[in-house]
Amino acid sequence: MRQFTFASCALYFLTGLTAISIGSVMPELLNYYHVSYTIGGRLIFVGAMGFLAGVLLTSYLNRHFHPKPLLTIAALVIAFAQFSILMLPPFPLFMALYFINSVGSASIGIVVATMFIEVFIGRQAVAMSYLEVSFGLGAFTMPLLASFFIAHGIWRYLFVVTAVLAVVLAVVWTRISYSKQMVDTSEPLDASGSSDAQRPLSAHLKWIVLGLFGFIVFLYGGFEGSLNNFMSSIFMQYLNQAAYYASISVGIFWGAMVIGRAATAIIIRRLTYSTYLLMSICGSIVSLLLFIFLKNALMGYVFVGTLGLMMSGIYSITLVYANYSIPNSAHLVTPVISGLSGLGAAIFPAFTGFAIDRSGMTVTLWYIVGIAMTYLIFLLVINRLRSGRPLKITKHLRRAYSDFAARRPRFRFK
């Protein structure tokens, strides 16, 4: 089972590397192709659309084929895309290759997360934290590698690293085996996983709760995506920091994310999923508010660190909480959560950039706070529905579900 876990984490490390690879060498790419940052933004959007396409495709394939060949093929797809990008083909082809690369990354994310949800029963959050740490390490490592390659004038060969690793992992996954019977049941459970207090949901409430989970993870994707893409700009425009010092904020943010994800494996054994998420999103909001009100460069770096710590486990625990609330439906729940998170990360940053241009950084920061506050409000709605105390709006949601159910959706909850 250790081989299975290690190989899965290695795949997530690979996706962390590839997720940041283009952004790490973006100035060099744009200079090579003689295109503007607007075109660079389109490239990032193409990658986001590739991720969504990968989610949709993999959600279908994952129900009809064994995970091992899917992971091998996905790793080979990434290897092909990265080797081809190394050649710096004409820019339209480059964009197509980045789309293909994102499809492979999404496939790995969906298949591995679904396996972990189904295999590590009762301790999915602890297991998922290992994957999230691996992804964070990949995202943290890639800028360091990029700096080395750029300094030596060989930035294009950065893609050799990811391509070779992808080929190695494709071979490794032809030899990996796993089963639910291999799990060590003596390992500590999540606090929620060890509880029998979960209230079963009726079929119509499952659809409503899934829709609400999809909405809040869509918001979270936009929250994290906005900060990820504009952290340096925030420090430059709001705190008047030079570009070099502003870029340090990204490293602090991701370093804190990695530390926080490692700590999640311990914390989640003592806190229920809902309590963890409430504390995390409230801590994120407080950190961002203090950042806005104090408007101090030194304290700004401190609050970026606390923001990274608070946000570190929100995505993975939201995914686990959704699967816990709607059991035996991982093949539906996991791609819905992953896909909507990716969609939020694609759409909201576009509005964030527009807000910076039109309304200034202060208004934009309050817009980002608003995203986090909306997540908190709808998380409270989910908790109330699961507790058996429905809100008045539930009537309207039930009516909407009845109209939806009349169309006989292909997937039915057990």
Side-chain angles (χ1 to χ4, degrees):
M1 202 61 185
R2 287 184 178 179
Q3 289 182 343
F4 165 72
T5 304
F6 181 80
S8 299
C9 290
L11 283 174
Y12 256 61
F13 178 78
L14 172 65
T15 59
L17 289 175
T18 58
I20 309 297
S21 61
I22 296 296
S24 298
V25 295
M26 181 66 79
E28 285 71 22
L29 273 174
L30 300 183
N31 183 59
Y32 177 85
Y33 285 107
H34 304 290
V35 294
S36 67
Y37 274 94
T38 299
I39 302 301
R42 291 178 187 174
L43 177 63
I44 299 301
F45 183 77
V46 165
M49 293 301 100
F51 184 89
L52 291 176
V55 168
L56 295 173
L57 176 63
T58 307
S59 62
Y60 171 79
L61 295 176
N62 204 26
R63 292 196 299 267
H64 296 84
F65 299 95
H66 195 274
K68 282 178 57 177
L70 292 180
L71 290 175
T72 299
I73 292 171
L76 291 175
V77 165
I78 291 177
F80 166 77
Q82 294 285 303
F83 270 126
S84 301
I85 287 173
L86 166 66
M87 305 303 171
L88 298 178
F91 196 70
L93 180 56
F94 187 99
M95 296 181 76
L97 290 168
Y98 188 47
F99 180 92
I100 293 171
N101 178 88
S102 299
V103 170
S105 295
S107 298
I108 287 175
I110 293 297
V111 175
V112 173
T114 301
M115 286 194 299
F116 267 50
I117 294 295
E118 292 179 336
V119 170
F120 294 101
I121 302 298
R123 55 192 182 95
Q124 294 102 325
V126 173
M128 285 296 297
S129 69
Y130 300 151
L131 296 179
E132 289 295 292
V133 167
S134 301
F135 181 92
L137 285 174
F140 183 72
T141 301
M142 179 52 74
L144 301 179
L145 291 174
S147 297
F148 174 82
F149 280 81
I150 292 171
H152 288 79
I154 53 173
W155 60 269
R156 65 188 293 178
Y157 295 101
L158 178 68
F159 301 106
V160 173
V161 176
T162 48
V164 170
L165 179 59
V167 171
V168 170
L169 291 177
V171 174
V172 167
W173 268 95
T174 62
R175 302 175 180 275
I176 295 295
S177 61
Y178 77 97
S179 70
K180 295 180 182 180
Q181 287 70 35
M182 295 170 63
V183 178
D184 185 359
T185 54
S186 66
E187 289 288 330
L189 300 172
D190 304 340
S192 293
S194 60
S195 173
D196 294 322
Q198 181 189 5
R199 174 180 175 267
L201 299 177
S202 61
H204 72 272
L205 271 182
K206 286 181 179 179
W207 283 110
I208 293 171
V209 169
L210 177 59
L212 291 172
F213 270 116
F215 181 63
I216 66 171
V217 85
F218 172 73
L219 292 169
Y220 176 75
F223 182 46
E224 182 182 307
S226 295
L227 291 173
N228 263 338
N229 289 287
F230 295 100
M231 185 70 74
S232 294
S233 300
I234 290 171
F235 270 76
M236 291 173 66
Q237 294 193 30
Y238 192 71
L239 299 180
N240 299 314
Q241 293 293 288
Y244 173 78
Y245 293 108
S247 65
I248 295 175
S249 63
V250 181
I252 292 175
F253 180 74
W254 270 106
M257 289 277 275
V258 172
I259 294 171
R261 287 172 176 179
T264 299
I266 300 172
I267 296 171
I268 204 63
R269 294 169 182 170
R270 294 168 173 80
L271 297 177
T272 61
Y273 302 143
S274 59
T275 302
Y276 177 91
L277 289 175
L278 285 171
M279 292 178 62
S280 295
I281 194 62
C282 288
S284 300
I285 293 170
V286 170
S287 297
L288 198 51
L289 289 175
L290 289 173
F291 180 92
I292 295 171
F293 287 130
L294 294 181
K295 201 174 183 179
N296 176 273
L298 179 60
M299 295 306 298
Y301 290 107
V302 173
F303 291 128
V304 163
T306 60
L307 190 60
L309 289 173
M310 291 294 102
M311 293 175 61
S312 59
I314 292 180
Y315 169 74
S316 61
I317 302 305
T318 302
L319 172 62
V320 172
Y321 190 24
N323 276 282
Y324 176 72
S325 301
I326 310 171
N328 305 314
S329 303
H331 282 74
L332 173 67
V333 175
T334 301
V336 166
I337 298 299
S338 299
L340 288 174
S341 174
L343 185 62
I347 292 177
F348 278 96
F351 285 103
T352 303
F354 179 81
I356 293 173
D357 288 336
R358 295 299 181 93
S359 304
M361 190 57 73
T362 302
V363 172
T364 301
L365 286 170
W366 283 108
Y367 153 74
I368 296 174
V369 170
I371 297 173
M373 288 294 297
T374 308
Y375 177 103
L376 173 60
I377 292 169
F378 280 89
L379 176 63
L380 292 172
V381 172
I382 290 172
N383 290 341
R384 181 143 186 175
L385 285 175
R386 292 190 68 256
S387 70
R389 295 173 295 167
L391 303 168
K392 291 181 180 180
I393 194 174
T394 304
K395 289 182 182 178
H396 303 289
L397 293 173
R398 286 180 177 176
R399 188 177 304 159
Y401 167 77
S402 298
D403 295 339
F404 171 72
R407 300 175 185 174
R408 298 185 178 182
R410 295 179 63 185
F411 187 93
R412 294 188 180 276
F413 289 112
K414 295 181 180 179

